[in-house]
């Protein structure tokens, strides 16, 4: 089947926001207005198309990024609806990696919220051009100017309104299009009838002033427009749109739209903005990777180039099994063809190709450059792998994910559950790179690690429903780390005689702290001279150290931010072996860590609490009692907010305490910030346990 739409008419877009800003409600309107669905599903009814998991429908939140394809004004939109809860930030991260543009949704009353900042930073990290949509403008307490000011202060000074609301709160009845200088009204049962009329007289002056600022801001990004503007000429709408598109793609301007998705007003204008201003794959930079020789190579977004693309998500479908979501950057991916995975070097067969509509599948034969499809039949590919043409391989930059900060100990309830648990866990680990599983060698317990309590609760719930595995769950535990503060040396000597061939390994190690900013947990260097240790034993020394990193000397937690140098040692012509040097290195490393002032690190969380003013004192007192350090306090509309750094170990059960303290009116979000040295009394308690 030939390409349905040319590449310049394809838009890969995501809808991103803080939890509860109305992302999924906006996505449902997009599906309805583009004709993909014939009925609007509401989140509060548990009927949203894009929130298809049972857990999403029960909780009214998005947990997994859902992809769909729809069509608007002769353009193909590949849409990804992402979660807003910080525990599922991996879904946003991997979606951002493959998107060309985004629509950031804000609550018309709350403005910029904590997770709004997180998703904005993720979009900045991947250079994703975006539009803003101020949603819920009909809500009591909504204020468009307030939201604009929070975007300017906390996110970017380059956000400019291209629309103004006609009325706010219950008075909201339409929007003013500042490009056309027309009022737009939405009528009909679902707001599907869009009509243009003259701007109400009482809003005309404000609209003219705001348009003047918009024209000035756009003109600043284009030399020819600037000349016109300075000469007192008014640029045409076509000229303004063309310049604005270039500025949006270069992330010099972020246009701001307004409306209310729930009341079916304003979403069509946002779709027009996606088509008019967000980039097609042709407008983005050529994708860069490395060839087999390690040299940088680029691929153009073209069907004529060799195949190259990225697996950005693995999902388990109850009907077809393993699904790999794949962004095609260049070339054409065909069902039945073979591709090479550059991480493993293995060939994989593309058994079937499907286009996803949330959890429904549409069979396709080919996926073209710039498109997003799901592959059925891959055996050995995981998130972040490059799949490409075997004749001209290229490896794209792999994706990096945050480390888990919280652990649950789990055990199967019955022997039957034990057999199923392993299969279930391996599938969930495949799907989610921030979900880890290991077995504690001392206790034999299975330890699940994740980004937060909700993250692990959802995983346990999924094991029960999707895989029929019943579990006993232990109390949540904090993922502590250990590191060193000083430089120190130590000797490791392993000599073992047993009648026959003996064992001999001897090395001197020096340990040094690594700067946490380098984001490197471990570095190894060989500074031996004169053949004091033969080169063939150096890898064994490194291996012995790496194995010792998993359990530190303070309380048995993994060791991070440490550099180890082997600088001297000796060997025996007959008795030396790799295993002897491995044991010697392990002994020396542990001794060196003790000498280097090993310390325990605890995860510190960035916590932001929204509360009515009368509860502010109680909330701040509670944060202080949890060893929290308050960084900022302020107003968000009629609500107060407190931002603080609090150790994760003090935050368990906080949601219940906050609810009772504020009579259910307080909300909070929490995300990992950094590791810090734990106080002495905490270290003693942990070491005892």
């Amino acid at each position: 089947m030939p390409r349905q739409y040319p590449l310049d008419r394809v838009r890969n877009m995501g809808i991103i926001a803080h939890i509860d800003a109305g992302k999924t409600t906006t996505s449902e309107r997009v599906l309805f207005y583009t004709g993909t669905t014939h009925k609007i599903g509401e989140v509060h009814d548990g009927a949203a198309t894009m929130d298809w998991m049972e857990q999403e429908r029960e909780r009214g939140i998005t947990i997994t990024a859902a992809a769909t394809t729809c069509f608007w004004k002769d353009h193909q939109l590949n849409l990804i609806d992402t979660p807003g809860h910080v525990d599922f930030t991996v879904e946003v991260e991997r979606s951002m990696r493959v998107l060309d543009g985004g629509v950031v949704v804000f609550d018309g009353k709350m403005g910029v919220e904590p997770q709004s900042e997180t998703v904005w930073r993720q979009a900045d990290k991947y250079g994703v051009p975006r539009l803003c949509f101020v949603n819920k403008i009909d809500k009591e307490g909504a204020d468009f100017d307030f939201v604009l000011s929070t975007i300017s202060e906390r996110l970017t000074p380059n956000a400019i309104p291209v629309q103004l609301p006609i009325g706010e709160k219950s008075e909201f009845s339409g929007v003013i299009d500042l490009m056309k200088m027309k009022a737009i009204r939405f009528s009909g049962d679902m707001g599907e009838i869009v009509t243009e009329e003259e701007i109400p007289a009482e809003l005309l002056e404000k609209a003219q002033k705001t348009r003047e600022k918009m024209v000035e801001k756009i003109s600043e990004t284009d030399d020819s427009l600037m000349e016109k503007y300075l000469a007192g000429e008014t640029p045409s709408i076509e000229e303004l749109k063309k310049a604005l598109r270039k500025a949006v793609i270069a992330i010099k301007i972020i246009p701001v739209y307004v409306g209310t998705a729930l009341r079916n007003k304003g979403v069509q204008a946002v779709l027009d903005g996606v088509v008019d201003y967000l980039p097609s794959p042709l407008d983005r930079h050529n994708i860069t990777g490395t060839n087999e020789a390690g040299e940088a190579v680029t691929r153009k977004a073209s069907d004529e180039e060799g195949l190259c693309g990225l697996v950005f998500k693995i999902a388990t479908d109850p009907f077809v099994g393993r699904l790999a979501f794949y962004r095609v950057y260049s070339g054409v991916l065909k069902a039945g063809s073979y591709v090479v995975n550059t991480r493993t070097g293995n060939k994989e067969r593309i058994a079937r190709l499907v286009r996803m509509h949330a959890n429904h599948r549409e069979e396709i034969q080919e996926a073209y450059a710039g498109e997003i499809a799901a592959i059925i039949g891959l055996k050995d590919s995981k998130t972040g792998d490059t799949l490409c043409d075997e004749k001209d391989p290229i490896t794209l930059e792999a994706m990096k994910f945050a480390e888990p900060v919280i652990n649950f100990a789990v055990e199967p309830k019955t022997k039957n559950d034990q057999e199923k648990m392993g299969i279930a866990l391996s599938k969930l680990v495949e799907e989610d790179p921030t979900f880890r599983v290991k077995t504690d060698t001392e206790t034999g317990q299975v330890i699940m690690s994740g980004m937060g309590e909700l993250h692990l609760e959802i995983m346990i719930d999924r094991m029960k429903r999707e895989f029929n595995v019943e579990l006993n769950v232990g109390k949540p535990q904090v993922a502590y780390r250990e590191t060193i503060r000083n430089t120190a040396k130590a000797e490791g000597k392993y000599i073992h005689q047993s009648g026959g061939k003996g064992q001999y390994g001897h090395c001197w190690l020096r340990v040094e702290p690594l700067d946490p900013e380098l984001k490197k947990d471990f570095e190894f260097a060989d500074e031996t001279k004169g053949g004091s240790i033969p080169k063939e034993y150096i890898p064994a020394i490194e291996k012995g150290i790496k194995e010792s990193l998993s359990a530190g000397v303070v309380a048995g937690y993994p060791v991070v931010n440490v550099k180890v140098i082997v600088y001297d040692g000796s060997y025996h012509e007959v008795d030396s072996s790799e295993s002897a040097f491995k044991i010697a290195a392990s002994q020396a490393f542990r001794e060196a860590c003790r000498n280097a002032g090993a310390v325990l690190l605890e995860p510190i969380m960035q916590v932001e609490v929204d509360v009515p003013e009368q509860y502010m004192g109680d909330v701040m007192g509670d944060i202080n009692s949890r060893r929290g350090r308050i960084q900022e306090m302020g107003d968000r509309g009629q609500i107060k907010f407190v931002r603080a750094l609090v150790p994760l170990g003090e935050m368990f059960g906080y949601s219940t305490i906050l609810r009772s303290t504020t009579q259910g009116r307080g909300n909070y979000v929490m995300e990992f910030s950094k590791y810090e040295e734990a106080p002495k009394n905490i270290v003693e308690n942990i070491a005892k346990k």
Side-chain angles (χ1 to χ4, degrees):
M1 185 177 132
R3 179 187 272 284
Q4 202 167 354
Y5 287 91
L7 205 49
D8 62 344
R9 291 195 182 178
V10 174
R11 302 285 183 273
N12 291 308
M13 56 171 285
I15 296 189
I16 53 178
H18 181 91
I19 190 168
D20 238 12
K23 290 179 309 302
T24 302
T25 305
T26 304
S27 300
E28 294 300 315
R29 268 63 189 172
V30 169
L31 298 186
F32 177 76
Y33 297 132
T34 56
T36 305
T37 58
H38 303 291
K39 175 179 175 288
I40 292 176
E42 300 295 9
V43 176
H44 52 262
D45 294 334
T49 307
M50 300 298 270
D51 282 356
W52 55 270
M53 289 172 70
E54 285 177 45
Q55 293 88 343
E56 293 178 311
R57 294 186 166 183
E58 285 169 9
R59 289 170 170 82
I61 61 169
T62 304
I63 291 166
T64 183
T68 192
T69 299
C70 50
F71 305 92
W72 181 254
K73 295 191 175 174
D74 276 342
H75 284 70
Q76 177 179 329
L77 310 183
N78 299 318
L79 168 73
I80 297 181
D81 173 33
T82 63
H85 197 288
V86 68
D87 281 16
F88 309 106
T89 191
V90 63
E91 294 286 343
V92 185
E93 183 85 16
R94 57 185 172 192
S95 300
M96 287 290 185
R97 176 74 164 78
V98 298
L99 291 174
D100 296 325
V103 176
V104 189
V105 183
F106 297 92
D107 185 307
K109 178 183 174 184
M110 304 302 289
V112 174
E113 298 176 87
Q115 194 63 8
S116 315
E117 294 186 49
T118 305
V119 296
W120 194 273
R121 286 197 304 270
Q122 287 171 314
D124 282 341
K125 176 179 168 183
Y126 292 109
V128 177
R130 64 216 87 138
L131 316 174
C132 295
F133 177 49
V134 179
N135 188 27
K136 302 189 180 183
I137 204 67
D138 60 325
K139 192 176 173 182
E140 203 51 50
D143 183 338
F144 183 65
D145 292 331
F146 161 72
V147 178
L148 271 182
S149 69
T150 64
I151 293 171
S152 296
E153 288 162 19
R154 294 178 70 173
L155 301 179
T156 174
N158 299 326
I160 58 163
V162 292
Q163 291 181 341
L164 288 176
I166 301 173
E168 285 178 351
K169 310 179 188 66
S170 58
E171 305 292 310
F172 177 70
S173 60
V175 299
I176 296 169
D177 184 327
L178 296 174
M179 278 285 182
K180 298 178 183 173
M181 283 302 278
K182 293 281 185 189
I184 301 175
R185 308 276 187 183
F186 304 89
S187 54
D189 291 343
M190 299 295 178
E192 68 274 21
I193 302 166
V194 183
T195 50
E196 286 184 8
E197 54 188 66
E198 293 308 310
I199 296 170
E202 69 275 12
L203 292 172
L204 190 57
E205 189 185 344
K206 184 180 181 182
Q208 285 167 337
K209 281 183 180 173
T210 313
R211 187 181 201 270
E212 183 66 23
K213 285 182 188 168
M214 179 190 83
V215 172
E216 184 184 352
K217 191 86 174 172
I218 295 171
S219 300
E220 283 172 6
T221 66
D222 187 283
D223 292 342
S224 60
L225 274 192
M226 197 63 190
E227 283 173 26
K228 267 193 173 186
Y229 180 74
L230 292 172
E233 294 177 45
T234 305
S236 69
I237 292 174
E238 281 66 37
E239 287 174 320
L240 283 171
K241 279 188 159 185
K242 190 178 173 186
L244 180 55
R245 178 176 171 77
K246 278 174 71 177
V248 170
I249 291 168
I251 321 183
K252 289 179 180 172
I253 290 181
I254 316 272
V256 182
Y257 292 78
V258 63
T260 165
L262 190 63
R263 301 278 171 260
N264 311 312
K265 291 181 172 75
V267 176
Q268 297 97 316
V270 176
L271 283 171
D272 289 341
V274 167
V275 164
D276 290 342
Y277 306 123
L278 287 185
S280 74
L282 290 174
D283 298 311
R284 300 283 276 151
H285 304 299
N286 292 338
I287 193 76
T288 305
T290 52
N291 61 16
E292 287 174 309
E295 301 158 339
V297 285
T298 57
R299 289 276 192 279
K300 284 190 295 193
S302 163
D303 298 342
E304 311 306 316
E305 290 262 314
L307 174 70
C308 158
L310 192 78
V311 175
F312 67 96
K313 175 174 168 150
I314 300 289
T316 304
D317 185 289
F319 301 104
V320 297
R322 203 165 178 268
L323 280 173
F325 286 75
Y326 182 75
R327 161 76 195 260
V328 188
Y329 284 108
S330 65
V332 181
L333 181 69
K334 297 181 180 180
S337 65
Y338 282 89
V339 293
V340 68
N341 181 327
T342 56
R343 177 182 59 86
T344 62
N346 297 335
K347 280 167 68 173
E348 294 244 38
R349 185 170 181 272
I350 309 298
R352 287 165 63 198
L353 272 180
V354 291
R355 187 175 280 154
M356 295 302 292
H357 298 288
N359 61 332
H360 300 292
R361 298 163 306 281
E362 174 197 341
E363 197 93 17
I364 55 174
Q365 291 306 307
E366 293 170 326
Y368 296 91
E371 294 190 338
I372 290 172
I375 303 169
I376 299 170
L378 294 183
K379 298 280 188 292
D380 192 28
S381 295
K382 60 182 190 179
T383 300
D385 283 357
T386 305
L387 302 181
C388 59
D389 193 331
E390 59 182 313
K391 295 187 192 116
D392 192 8
I394 175 175
T395 304
L396 304 179
E397 187 185 351
M399 299 158 80
K400 296 181 178 71
F401 301 106
E403 288 295 312
V405 293
I406 185 170
N407 302 328
F408 277 7
V410 294
E411 59 182 35
K413 283 191 174 174
T414 66
K415 193 165 187 338
N416 191 28
D417 288 324
Q418 185 162 9
E419 290 164 12
K420 291 185 286 186
M421 185 175 82
I423 298 165
L425 286 173
S426 65
K427 287 189 175 173
L428 292 174
V429 166
E430 253 186 9
E431 283 185 31
D432 187 342
T434 59
F435 176 63
R436 312 275 170 84
V437 177
K438 66 174 183 182
T439 303
D440 187 314
T441 49
E442 289 179 17
T443 63
Q445 283 181 311
V446 174
I447 309 292
M448 288 168 47
S449 306
M451 300 306 291
E453 286 181 87
L454 180 63
H455 185 199
L456 293 181
E457 278 171 24
I458 296 289
M459 288 301 188
I460 289 160
D461 196 35
R462 286 187 63 192
M463 288 181 73
K464 186 175 176 179
R465 295 191 198 196
E466 293 173 32
F467 301 98
N468 267 341
V469 180
E470 294 283 348
L471 297 172
N472 293 320
V473 183
K475 281 184 179 174
Q477 295 174 325
V478 181
Y480 293 102
R481 297 281 183 268
E482 295 184 22
T483 193
I484 56 171
R485 287 287 177 247
N486 309 308
T487 298
K489 298 173 181 178
E491 178 186 26
K493 202 174 225 181
Y494 179 67
I495 303 172
H496 183 70
Q497 292 299 136
S498 57
K501 185 176 181 288
Q503 294 282 345
Y504 183 93
H506 174 221
C507 62
W508 278 91
L509 302 181
R510 184 171 73 249
V511 294
E512 299 172 359
L514 271 179
D515 184 353
E517 294 298 314
L518 295 173
K519 301 275 193 294
K520 285 175 83 173
D521 284 344
F522 171 65
E523 198 176 298
F524 177 75
D526 170 21
E527 290 181 5
T528 54
K529 293 186 178 73
S532 56
I533 301 174
K535 291 297 176 195
E536 64 262 29
Y537 296 131
I538 300 297
I541 291 172
E542 185 178 0
K543 194 174 178 188
I545 296 163
K546 278 184 175 173
E547 286 178 6
S548 301
L549 287 171
S550 62
V553 296
V554 180
Y557 288 98
V559 182
V560 295
N561 306 332
V562 63
K563 181 176 181 177
V564 184
I565 300 107
V566 54
Y567 66 92
D568 201 3
S570 63
Y571 71 103
H572 189 281
E573 288 283 359
V574 178
D575 291 350
S576 281
S577 66
E578 288 187 2
S579 60
F581 272 102
K582 201 167 108 178
I583 295 166
S586 175
Q587 291 171 349
F589 176 70
R590 294 182 70 78
E591 184 61 32
C593 284
R594 285 190 194 94
N595 299 342
V599 294
L600 189 76
L601 302 175
E602 60 180 348
I604 304 295
M605 309 304 282
Q606 176 85 60
V607 179
E608 190 156 327
V609 189
D610 291 329
V611 285
E613 190 169 359
Q614 65 262 42
Y615 305 114
M616 190 73 163
D618 293 339
V619 166
M620 286 171 64
D622 184 56
I623 287 173
N624 287 326
S625 73
R626 294 171 186 272
R627 297 193 285 125
R629 302 194 301 277
I630 290 168
Q631 295 176 297
E632 190 186 347
M633 295 176 290
D635 300 307
R636 187 175 286 131
Q638 287 116 6
I639 296 282
K640 296 277 185 189
F641 75 86
V642 188
R643 195 181 284 189
L645 290 171
V646 191
L648 175 63
E650 306 288 343
M651 288 300 291
F652 293 131
Y654 182 64
S655 52
T656 311
I657 300 292
L658 184 66
R659 267 200 297 270
S660 60
T661 308
T662 63
Q663 296 181 1
R665 293 168 68 192
N667 289 307
Y668 84 103
V669 290
M670 176 171 82
E671 67 175 319
F672 173 71
S673 173
K674 57 186 173 181
Y675 273 97
E676 276 185 7
E677 190 174 332
K680 201 171 180 185
N681 61 322
I682 301 294
V683 177
E684 285 169 3
N685 288 340
I686 291 164
K688 275 180 199 167
K689 287 178 190 172

